[in-house]
Amino acid sequence: MSNNRDAIVIAIDGPSASGKSTVARLAAQKLGFNYVDSGSFYRGITWKALREGLDTSDSQQVVALINRIDFVCFLQDGAVEFSIDGEEPGEQIRSQPVQEHVSDIAAVPEVRVFLVNMLRETARFGSLAMEGRDIGTVVFPDSPFKYYLDADPEERARRRYNELAKKSEYNDVSEVYDSLARRDHKDTTRKAAPLQIALGAKVIDSTRMNAEQVVDVILEDIRLAGAKA
Ligand code: CDP
């Protein structure tokens, strides 16, 4: 398997619940690109680790896990999905236990090497919009289309709470706020590929913008780059 060097990559990074998923999905749809939610890959490994009863803070156990699993990516309805040992985790990757442990798993350097390779390989399916924490800094640093999406923490907590709504195990917005803050802290302070603004990335503050407006900014930027080429 090799990377598709002609594929166009839109790299979208940012903190939790900054709107990356909605924006990346919509941008991909409008351009006929594939959508890749890199966080779902980290959540998938976390789901598998919890299911096997591993201690997610024990990196040796986690490394042994990634060495024995069969992780397979495939294209489904314009999005890159995956299975682990033949099973698709589905919505289970959004559960509270996965939510609380994913940043520990994502801090293990071997996990990152493993998943960065998997994520790069998804370009074999064609052009894509990929969202995450290190897409512009590590996974596709040469992409000319890098964006850093941000929003005020209160607004992000509100968005996530509404999104999880009925199926949520959280009682109120403040619990979600605390959970996001814990994860953001771990994601920005870890040694391996911390969340940061990629060199040359365009920063978009979406606090007072809806997803359509953010996508318009990105599409206009890509259109202008095309016009300049
Ligand atoms: O949806 P939300 O932004 O809350 O999170 P996500 O994109 O599903 O990512 C879940 C977790 O995976 C993050 O908190 C990071 O710890 C990790 N992650 C990462 O380290 N690198 C990525 N490229 C994507 C996610």
Side-chain angles (χ1 to χ4, degrees):
M1 274 190 288
S2 65
N3 287 337
N4 175 358
R5 291 190 178 279
D6 298 327
I8 298 170
V9 172
I10 303 176
I12 304 178
D13 290 306
S16 311
S18 54
K20 303 183 302 286
S21 317
T22 316
V23 164
R25 199 187 298 271
L26 200 59
Q29 213 175 45
K30 291 198 175 197
L31 292 166
F33 288 10
N34 297 320
Y35 163 65
V36 190
D37 171 3
S38 71
S40 71
F41 285 43
Y42 290 89
R43 288 171 182 265
I45 301 284
T46 309
W47 163 77
K48 184 72 176 173
L50 292 174
R51 179 174 235 232
E52 296 208 350
L54 305 189
D55 173 0
T56 57
S57 62
D58 179 346
S59 56
Q60 275 186 339
Q61 289 188 26
V62 177
V63 172
L65 175 77
I66 56 167
N67 285 332
R68 67 172 176 263
I69 55 172
D70 184 27
F71 193 105
V72 178
C73 296
F74 57 93
L75 198 57
Q76 189 173 298
D77 302 329
V80 176
E81 308 284 354
F82 61 86
S83 65
I84 300 178
D85 293 339
E87 240 188 303
E88 292 172 49
E91 278 306 299
Q92 297 176 70
I93 61 168
R94 309 278 155 208
S95 73
Q96 191 165 358
V98 169
Q99 189 94 342
E100 297 301 332
H101 290 89
V102 62
S103 292
D104 290 336
I105 297 269
V108 178
E110 290 86 346
V111 171
R112 305 206 67 84
V113 170
F114 177 78
L115 288 184
V116 165
N117 280 328
M118 288 286 169
L119 291 166
R120 285 189 182 137
E121 287 287 346
T122 64
R124 74 183 184 274
F125 297 117
S127 295
L128 52 95
M130 184 181 291
E131 47 114 352
R133 300 293 188 291
D134 64 341
I135 312 308
T137 50
V138 177
V139 185
F140 290 111
D142 297 334
S143 165
F145 306 119
K146 293 186 274 212
Y147 305 92
Y148 186 92
L149 202 52
D150 209 349
D152 288 350
E154 293 79 11
E155 173 63 17
R156 292 193 282 114
R158 252 195 311 275
R159 286 180 190 170
R160 180 51 50 89
Y161 182 71
N162 290 338
E163 194 179 287
L164 294 170
K166 293 183 202 74
K167 55 183 182 220
S168 176
E169 292 122 329
Y170 296 101
N171 292 316
D172 54 34
V173 183
S174 73
E175 270 187 29
V176 177
Y177 182 96
D178 292 343
S179 166
L180 293 187
R182 274 198 300 277
R183 208 138 55 81
D184 285 347
H185 178 72
K186 283 186 188 166
D187 291 342
T188 49
T189 56
R190 70 182 177 216
K191 282 207 185 73
L195 170 65
Q196 51 188 349
I197 301 172
L199 206 64
K202 180 171 246 172
V203 179
I204 305 173
D205 182 345
S206 75
T207 307
R208 283 170 201 83
M209 291 167 88
N210 63 32
E212 284 278 351
Q213 291 169 316
V214 177
V215 171
D216 284 347
V217 171
I218 293 176
L219 295 191
E220 179 64 4
D221 191 53
I222 294 173
R223 198 185 61 76
L224 283 176
K228 269 189 254 152

